Amino acid sequence: MYDHIKQMYLVYYHELYRFVAKLCRDPDQVDDIIQNTFLEAIKSMETFKSHSSLKTWLFGIAKHQLYRQFRKNKIQLDLDALAEAELATQSDFSDKLLAEQILDAINGLDPPHNEIMRLRLIDGLSFKEIGMRVGKTENYCRVNFFRTKDKLRKEFAYEHM
C-alpha cells in the first residue's frame, strides 16, 4: 500500500500544486491543501471505484479542499480562474502523447499483427469480421490480438516506470 501511495504522490504532486497555486496565492495554504488532498485520498482509497481516472478523482478532492479552505478563511473564489484551471487538467498532454506512441507502435508491427490491432481498436470490428478481412480464423485473430496487446502493455509499462 505504501508504494502505491508514494507512486500516486510522485505522479500527481506537481500537477496538483499548479492547479491549487493558480487559485490560492498563499504558498503555505497551497501546501496545506495538497497535504489534506493526499490525506483525504488515502482515507478514501477504498471508496475509489474507478468510474473516473485516479487523476480526476484527486483533482476533485483538491477542489473540495480548496472550497473548505476558502470557506474557513472567508475568501472569495475567482470562478473564471477555477474554470480555466479545470480545463487545463482535462487536456492532459501526457495521455495524448502516450496514445500517439501506442498508435506508432501498432503501426510498426508486422502484418497481420498491425492490421488485427487497428481493425479491433480503431474500427471496432469483431474477431470474426477481422478474420474474414485478413483471411485468418476468428480464433487466430483473438489470440494474436491478446498476445500483441499484452506485449505492448509490458513494453509501455516498462518505459513509463
Side-chain angles (χ1 to χ4, degrees), residues 17-131:
Y17 190 90
R18 284 191 302 270
F19 172 72
V20 173
K22 192 167 196 150
L23 300 168
C24 179
R25 302 290 181 215
D26 182 356
D28 292 332
Q29 284 186 353
V30 171
D31 288 335
D32 288 344
I33 291 168
I34 291 175
Q35 180 181 10
N36 290 337
T37 298
F38 281 107
L39 286 173
E40 189 66 34
I42 292 166
K43 284 193 259 181
S44 304
M45 192 61 74
E46 295 84 34
T47 63
F48 177 62
K49 298 200 180 3
S50 300
H51 295 300
S52 63
S53 70
L54 182 60
K55 179 180 177 180
T56 302
W57 183 64
L58 279 173
F59 275 78
I61 294 171
K63 184 170 62 170
H64 290 288
Q65 292 297 325
L66 268 165
Y67 291 157
R68 258 189 218 130
Q69 187 76 21
F70 291 157
R71 277 193 304 270
K72 186 171 106 177
N73 296 325
K74 308 234 189 287
I75 297 172
Q76 292 296 318
L77 179 61
D78 179 3
L79 293 177
D80 291 333
L82 178 61
E84 185 180 313
E86 284 186 11
L87 279 175
T89 62
Q90 290 173 358
S91 60
D92 188 7
F93 179 74
S94 63
D95 286 349
K96 291 177 186 174
L97 183 62
L98 179 60
E100 288 176 5
Q101 290 172 338
I102 292 170
L103 189 56
D104 287 343
I106 289 171
N107 288 334
L109 296 170
D110 294 327
H113 306 291
N114 62 358
E115 190 172 4
I116 291 170
M117 294 299 288
R118 289 181 64 74
L119 290 171
R120 179 70 178 170
L121 295 173
I122 297 170
D123 296 339
L125 298 180
S126 70
F127 290 111
K128 185 176 184 175
E129 293 170 314
I130 295 169

Side-chain angles (χ1 to χ4, degrees), residues 127 138-148:
F127 290 111
E138 178 181 349
N139 193 48
Y140 173 88
C141 294
R142 184 182 314 275
V143 169
N144 183 290
F145 174 80
F146 285 107
R147 285 181 180 165
T148 305

